[in-house]
Amino acid sequence: MNVTLSVIKADVGSIGGHIRPSDKLKETVRNFVRDNGNGLLLDSYLSSTGDDIAILMSHNRGVDDPKIHELAWKAFMAGTQVAKEQGLYGAGQDLLKDAFAGNVRGMGPASCEMEFEERPNEPFLFFAADKTDPGAYNLPMYLAFADPMHCPGLLLSTKIAKGFTFTIMDVSYTEGDRVIELHAPEHLYDIACLLRDNERFVVESVRSRATGDIAAVVSTSRLHNIAGKYTGKDDPVALVRSQSNFPATGEILSPYRLGHYVAGTMRGSHNGPLMPVRLNSSVSFFDGPPVVSCAAFCVHNGKFTEPVDAFDHPFWDWVRNRTAEKAAEIRQQGFSGPAMLPYSELEYGGVVEKLGELDKNFVVRGAKGGKPPKKEAA
Ligand code: 13P
Ligand code: 13P
Ligand code: MG
Ligand code: MG
């Protein structure tokens, strides 16, 4: 049978700053989906990562279904009401439009969806990240689907040895979806060339070259492209199918041991290491570090098993400790150089406005027709 998995996530309010949604807010969103999903959904699962709430849904209505998107939008509206009643910080933060217009894309929430023919056994992973942006998944997707250092299945399994096709989106382009398809392994250097720029080029999906089956999807929305100003980071979600014609679950998780530096953390304006955390974790140090959670499921006839918390294992405690050290290390240099994002990516207006002001007072020393250098007061 064909099943569609849809994840729609939003930050509609949190306790104590950008830390974690309240229990009541999560309960409200969960109940809304349950009470109004009858006849629409086969199953659903609700979780939070940092201050973001993600609704994972299974159904057979295909991707971009207006009814499914409307259900999630209305659930987040109901949640926003509770966030306001509780005085939560940033109530309704990610709901950027007043009226629902058929699809949450371009309206603030992040979403990713995939439709496929269910295998007799269908394991998949649901990732959610907070205090970062969609490019955070670039390196882990590249390493899991194209690098035998993390995915020995590329050598060991004839099923996946044909490689994978990456669809990569230019998220700086706002007139429409500007995408390119590249094939691993022969286009590896081209793929790397694009994926090195996490802020501009983002993995949108990955497909098996052997079967054409969808393997992975990532939310690609960029909030500041929608709102025209900073309204929060574009905290991304992803779905990845595993085993058989796809990398094994452990191969998909392997790159997360790196705790690689990504954009985000405090005020969405810094670089910090991506820390793999348990489901429903909060954020803390320096509004970060950027965190990623992973719920592993099997789905059968659209029904989910219970989730297994993929990063709840002693191995990941060691990774978390190392990642914490990396977070503290880059914070040593405060605003300097790579600790803070470049001008083009700065989410808050302050520095941008300040530079505009200062710009007027610059002089070009000795330039033809330029102002003469100012004399120091004696
Ligand atoms: P099992 O033998 O436990 O099924 O594991 C097979 C495998 O490929 C693990 O990556
Ligand atoms: P969120 O995007 O998770 O709401 O975080 C915003 C922020 O400014 C954190 O410092
Ligand atoms: Mg927030
Ligand atoms: Mg968030």
Side-chain angles (χ1 to χ4, degrees):
M1 104 171 204
N2 259 28
V3 68
T4 309
L5 301 180
S6 301
V7 181
I8 302 185
K9 80 97 229 173
D11 173 354
V12 292
S14 48
I15 301 176
H18 294 279
I19 291 187
R20 189 179 73 83
S22 69
D23 293 338
K24 190 169 175 198
L25 167 49
K26 285 175 74 173
E27 247 348 89
T28 305
V29 177
R30 184 183 285 116
N31 291 343
F32 189 98
V33 173
R34 200 171 36 215
D35 297 346
N36 296 277
N38 271 344
L40 275 182
L41 299 183
L42 298 169
D43 211 345
S44 65
Y45 165 74
L46 188 125
S47 61
S48 62
T49 303
D51 58 6
D52 297 304
I53 296 180
I55 313 168
L56 167 67
M57 297 168 276
S58 64
H59 54 96
N60 39 35
R61 303 176 64 87
V63 303
D64 284 332
D65 181 74
K67 286 246 176 321
I68 299 293
H69 281 237
E70 187 178 25
L71 174 67
W73 179 264
K74 286 188 167 165
F76 286 127
M77 294 282 281
T80 299
Q81 195 50 44
V82 168
K84 284 182 179 160
E85 282 161 23
Q86 291 192 303
L88 298 190
Y89 187 72
Q93 178 186 284
D94 286 356
L95 305 185
L96 302 179
K97 307 274 155 119
D98 293 329
F100 180 71
N103 194 301
V104 297
R105 266 188 293 128
M107 301 188 71
S111 67
C112 66
E113 302 180 275
M114 47 163 65
E115 182 182 8
F116 53 85
E117 164 110 34
E118 242 185 33
R119 298 170 286 174
N121 49 74
E122 186 59 64
F124 75 93
L125 306 175
F126 156 50
F127 290 93
D130 186 36
K131 305 295 182 272
T132 184
D133 59 19
Y137 294 116
N138 279 1
L139 185 61
M141 291 290 183
Y142 174 88
L143 296 175
F145 284 98
D147 186 346
M149 295 290 282
H150 287 264
C151 182
L154 295 167
L155 314 178
L156 295 168
S157 159
T158 48
K159 288 182 182 165
I160 66 173
K162 279 211 170 109
F164 292 89
T165 297
F166 286 71
T167 302
I168 297 170
M169 186 184 283
D170 174 357
V171 292
S172 296
Y173 189 80
T174 51
E175 304 299 307
D177 291 349
R178 189 163 183 262
V179 294
I180 185 170
E181 278 195 0
L182 293 167
H183 306 297
E186 62 266 36
H187 298 149
L188 268 189
Y189 297 164
D190 297 333
I191 295 170
C193 200
L194 295 178
L195 296 189
R196 58 162 286 284
D197 187 348
N198 289 338
E199 271 35 80
R200 174 149 186 213
F201 299 108
V202 170
V203 174
E204 181 199 48
S205 63
V206 182
R207 284 186 178 273
S208 156
R209 293 181 74 186
T211 63
D213 284 342
I214 189 76
V217 287
V218 179
S219 63
T220 53
S221 55
R222 298 219 55 190
L223 289 176
H224 77 232
N225 289 347
I226 303 169
K229 61 177 170 41
Y230 183 71
T231 52
K233 209 68 196 153
D234 319 284
D235 307 322
V237 284
L239 289 166
V240 187
R241 296 168 77 194
S242 69
Q243 306 295 145
S244 184
N245 293 328
F246 308 116
T249 296
E251 291 165 339
I252 297 161
L253 297 178
S254 170
Y256 292 92
R257 75 158 171 74
L258 297 174
H260 68 301
Y261 288 109
V262 296
T265 185
M266 179 57 68
R267 297 176 189 273
S269 303
H270 294 79
N271 283 310
L274 186 66
M275 181 182 277
V277 292
R278 293 185 183 87
L279 299 174
N280 304 302
S281 291
S282 59
V283 295
S284 183
F285 170 66
F286 200 62
D287 278 8
V291 291
V292 60
S293 65
C294 177
F297 289 92
C298 280
V299 57
H300 190 58
N301 295 329
K303 288 277 172 213
F304 299 138
T305 57
E306 71 271 30
V308 171
D309 189 340
F311 293 135
D312 183 13
H313 183 279
F315 175 82
W316 298 101
D317 290 335
W318 175 76
V319 171
R320 283 188 272 274
N321 287 336
R322 287 189 70 237
T323 310
E325 280 172 18
K326 288 183 72 170
E329 203 55 55
I330 196 161
R331 287 308 314 136
Q332 302 274 45
Q333 65 179 69
F335 58 80
S336 179
M340 203 182 239
L341 293 186
Y343 176 84
S344 57
E345 284 299 324
L346 282 186
E347 303 276 10
Y348 273 73
V351 169
V352 176
E353 281 163 28
K354 201 178 284 297
L355 286 178
E357 279 302 309
L358 291 175
D359 197 58
K360 296 176 202 150
N361 296 332
F362 271 84
V363 294
V364 180
R365 198 179 282 147
K368 252 199 214 159
K371 282 194 221 164
K374 276 185 191 157
K375 290 229 170 81
E376 301 256 331

